[in-house]
Amino acid sequence: MDSNSECKDKKKSITQSMLLCCKLYISESRNREALEPIERAAKLDPETVIINKFQDRDYNRVNYTLVSYVIHDSTGCPIYSPLHQTVVAMVAAAYDAINLEQHSGAHPRLGVVDDILIHPLARASLDEASWLAKKIAADIGNRFQVPVYLYAAAHPMGKALDTIRRELGYYRPNFRGIQWAGWAQPEQVSVKPDEGPEVVSRARGVVMIGAHKWVAMYNIPIMSTDLSAARRIAQRVSARGGGLPTVQTLGLFHGEDSTEIACILLEPNQIGADRVQNHVETLASQENLDVEKGYFTDLSPEMIIERYMKLISSSS
């Protein structure tokens, strides 16, 4: 076997085993012209693959799921992933195309780029996911002068995302009690960021960046516009409200004739969607409310890896 073949085989082994997944949440889904340059930026490097895109017009929010490999030096430390520059390029395009002051939606957010979450896949570890999260955070804070808050494994003390969000007023709607519009927080942030300035651009807001083992997002429609009832159910389902461990929830308006229980499943292999669905249905029946079958906003890790393998095989 010649050296070129050996290099190709080594790279193929890396691209199929040491994988990182990025979930990138951007505060826009209604303006197609704003999303197009973001998606062009995602395709600049063929070694980063867009696996999934989930849009919600009522929330005015989009989630891109991207996957690529990570390379290590001779000591085993991560030194490179194509995801790094791809995500930064998408963030740059988002800041150019979207003004937070002109944004509104039924889902909370604190920034144009609201959340960047890195997961390890296949044989990659949480240490590698944390490394990438911190690299992206430093670039965003320095290059775009945006306050950046690290969370979970990317934070020195493992600070939880919902803790930071509460400190920053993330969960408080500022329009008609049901919507989030513009930038409604002080321009001087109340919590010192991990990267970037302490003064906020009202057009860009702030960004959360974390690393975590797999987290599932699962939303359950409630066929009622009674937001108070949806919030009561959400509170009783959540771990914070004494409900299911490792489950975080929000009761939100969703469309003209329904509400929704938006759930974050921090340990989906232990407390999964079926258990959450059953609990919501039980609580909703006590409120005389009908519930529809919930839905995931992303693919499973297994499906993501399978799709990634197919896409890189077809492009090689």
Side-chain angles (χ1 to χ4, degrees):
M1 182 182 292
D2 61 29
S3 60
N4 285 339
S5 296
E6 287 179 1
C7 288
K8 287 180 180 178
D9 287 345
K10 184 176 181 181
K11 183 177 179 183
K12 182 178 180 182
S13 175
I14 291 169
T15 59
Q16 292 185 0
S17 62
M18 307 296 283
L19 302 179
L20 294 174
C21 172
C22 175
K23 294 178 182 175
L24 175 60
Y25 295 87
I26 293 175
S27 300
E28 181 59 71
S29 67
R30 300 169 187 165
N31 184 352
R32 181 65 225 163
E33 290 183 0
L35 297 183
E36 285 175 353
I38 299 170
E39 291 169 18
R40 282 198 299 271
K43 297 173 183 176
L44 291 175
D45 187 341
E47 296 195 312
T48 298
V49 179
I50 301 177
I51 300 295
N52 193 49
K53 173 186 175 183
F54 182 84
Q55 289 179 262
D56 193 304
R57 287 187 60 83
D58 294 306
Y59 291 156
N60 203 6
R61 185 176 177 87
V62 62
N63 168 30
Y64 295 101
T65 303
L66 305 110
V67 174
S68 194
Y69 58 86
V70 58
I71 288 177
H72 303 74
D73 64 16
S74 59
T75 67
C77 295
I79 56 171
Y80 174 72
S81 173
L83 272 173
H84 179 188
Q85 292 306 322
T86 298
V87 171
V88 172
M90 292 176 74
V91 169
Y95 287 146
D96 285 343
I98 302 165
N99 185 335
L100 190 65
E101 288 198 288
Q102 298 170 4
H103 175 273
S104 65
H107 193 288
R109 81 291 182 274
L110 283 172
V112 165
V113 180
D114 193 51
D115 185 18
I116 300 174
L117 176 55
I118 310 297
H119 295 299
L121 293 177
R123 287 175 45 228
S125 72
L126 201 51
D127 287 342
E128 289 143 347
S130 175
W131 164 81
L132 179 58
K134 287 184 277 192
K135 293 280 285 184
I136 293 170
D139 273 6
I140 292 175
N142 294 329
R143 177 175 168 184
F144 306 114
Q145 289 298 291
V146 170
V148 180
Y149 295 91
L150 296 172
Y151 67 90
H155 187 274
M157 304 300 291
K159 195 170 185 179
L161 175 60
D162 65 327
T163 298
I164 301 170
R165 284 175 163 174
R166 281 193 173 80
E167 292 173 348
L168 294 172
Y170 177 88
Y171 298 106
R172 293 194 296 267
N174 68 322
F175 182 64
R176 294 168 50 202
I178 59 171
Q179 295 246 340
W180 285 259
W183 175 261
Q185 309 294 330
E187 292 187 12
Q188 183 84 19
V189 293
S190 57
V191 180
K192 182 177 174 59
D194 298 287
E195 298 284 356
E198 295 184 37
V199 176
V200 182
S201 158
R202 300 177 67 88
R204 294 180 174 179
V206 306
V207 58
M208 314 288 167
I209 303 181
H212 202 288
K213 59 186 176 180
W214 188 258
V215 171
M217 310 296 179
Y218 185 72
N219 297 342
I220 304 174
I222 308 290
M223 307 315 294
S224 167
T225 57
D226 186 344
L227 185 58
S228 295
R231 287 173 173 168
R232 283 195 300 273
I233 294 168
Q235 175 73 7
R236 293 175 66 189
V237 170
S238 70
R240 182 178 171 85
L244 298 174
T246 71
V247 174
Q248 298 175 355
T249 59
L250 281 173
L252 301 169
F253 258 117
H254 194 250
E256 296 182 358
D257 56 1
S258 66
T259 49
E260 194 164 76
I261 311 298
C263 306
I264 300 177
L265 312 183
L266 296 175
E267 298 279 358
N269 291 331
Q270 296 181 24
I271 308 291
D274 289 345
R275 188 165 169 189
V276 175
Q277 179 81 34
N278 291 337
H279 199 31
V280 168
E281 289 177 0
T282 299
L283 294 173
S285 68
Q286 296 171 10
E287 303 265 1
N288 295 315
L289 299 177
D290 293 327
V291 176
E292 288 193 346
K293 179 67 175 173
Y295 59 93
F296 290 101
T297 65
D298 212 335
L299 305 175
S300 68
E302 295 78 15
M303 292 174 68
I304 288 173
I305 293 170
E306 181 182 353
R307 185 171 292 188
Y308 170 78
M309 296 302 184
K310 285 181 179 177
L311 289 169
I312 60 168
S313 296
S314 62
S315 63
S316 60

